[in-house]
Amino acid sequence: MNYSIKKVGLNDLDKTAELFNLYRIFYRQTDDYEKCKQFIKERLDNDQSHIFVLYAEGKAVGFVQLYQLYHYIKLAKQWLLSDLFVHPDYRGKGLSVALIDRAKQWCDETGACGLMLETEKTNDIGNKLYPRCGFEYDDKHNYYYWWK
């Protein structure tokens, strides 16, 4: 399948927000396009994330969103692969792998030491995909969250 991947800016806000909304719905969140649009706009306005959208057949069908972190052992910048999504109609065509490869390329372009990600234990698709793309499962750590 022919595709292209573009680093997005504010002029891509509507298409990116549509995909982000679908991604959140995948994770059992309420459909809220306007709130997603505002969230993405704030990230882009404040240079807080980098988003790459994949286009196939003339449509935006997937994206990856990266946030900058720093690794305490490597003493270097790393990227949190926070969000990865491909529209259900386009899954199984290698597009998620293409987005991950673009994120790895971004590491090279920005001098980062690598990527980190976390996904739900129930995300069967992701839990099969990430090891195939060279990610190692870290069974030594538990991730905890505190929500206000």
Side-chain angles (χ1 to χ4, degrees):
M1 167 172 281
N2 289 335
Y3 64 85
S4 63
I5 299 175
K6 176 184 177 188
K7 187 172 186 303
V8 301
L10 287 174
N11 55 334
D12 307 293
L13 183 58
D14 292 331
K15 292 175 186 169
T16 306
E18 287 172 25
L19 288 170
F20 190 68
N21 190 42
L22 290 172
Y23 166 75
R24 292 183 73 254
I25 291 168
F26 173 82
Y27 278 108
R28 300 167 306 284
Q29 302 303 306
T30 305
D31 182 346
D32 194 338
Y33 169 78
E34 289 302 323
K35 199 168 186 177
C36 288
K37 185 175 178 179
Q38 184 60 36
F39 181 84
I40 295 296
K41 183 178 184 311
E42 288 172 6
R43 301 296 72 74
L44 295 174
D45 278 346
N46 295 303
D47 197 30
Q48 293 173 334
S49 75
H50 300 272
I51 304 170
F52 297 88
V53 169
L54 187 143
Y55 292 86
E57 299 177 346
K59 296 184 264 186
V61 300
F63 78 98
V64 62
Q65 181 166 212
L66 306 169
Y67 292 94
Q68 186 171 301
L69 299 174
Y70 295 90
H71 195 277
Y72 69 99
I73 292 176
K74 303 273 187 188
L75 301 175
K77 172 175 39 184
Q78 70 175 350
W79 292 102
L80 171 64
L81 194 160
S82 177
D83 311 303
L84 175 70
F85 178 77
V86 172
H87 191 283
D89 293 345
Y90 291 85
R91 292 184 185 155
K93 301 176 187 313
L95 302 179
S96 292
V97 173
L99 285 164
I100 289 171
D101 286 346
R102 183 62 184 96
K104 289 177 179 178
Q105 181 183 350
W106 185 246
C107 288
D108 290 339
E109 292 171 16
T110 60
C113 67
L115 297 166
M116 175 189 153
L117 66 83
E118 174 240 339
T119 193
E120 288 185 353
K121 292 184 184 292
T122 60
N123 181 357
D124 293 333
I125 295 168
N127 286 310
K128 290 176 185 168
L129 170 69
Y130 299 128
R132 283 194 348 250
C133 291
F135 286 85
E136 296 178 27
Y137 177 69
D138 181 352
D139 62 353
K140 293 180 178 82
H141 296 93
N142 293 320
Y143 291 91
Y144 293 90
Y145 297 92
W146 177 85
W147 304 116
K148 186 171 152 186

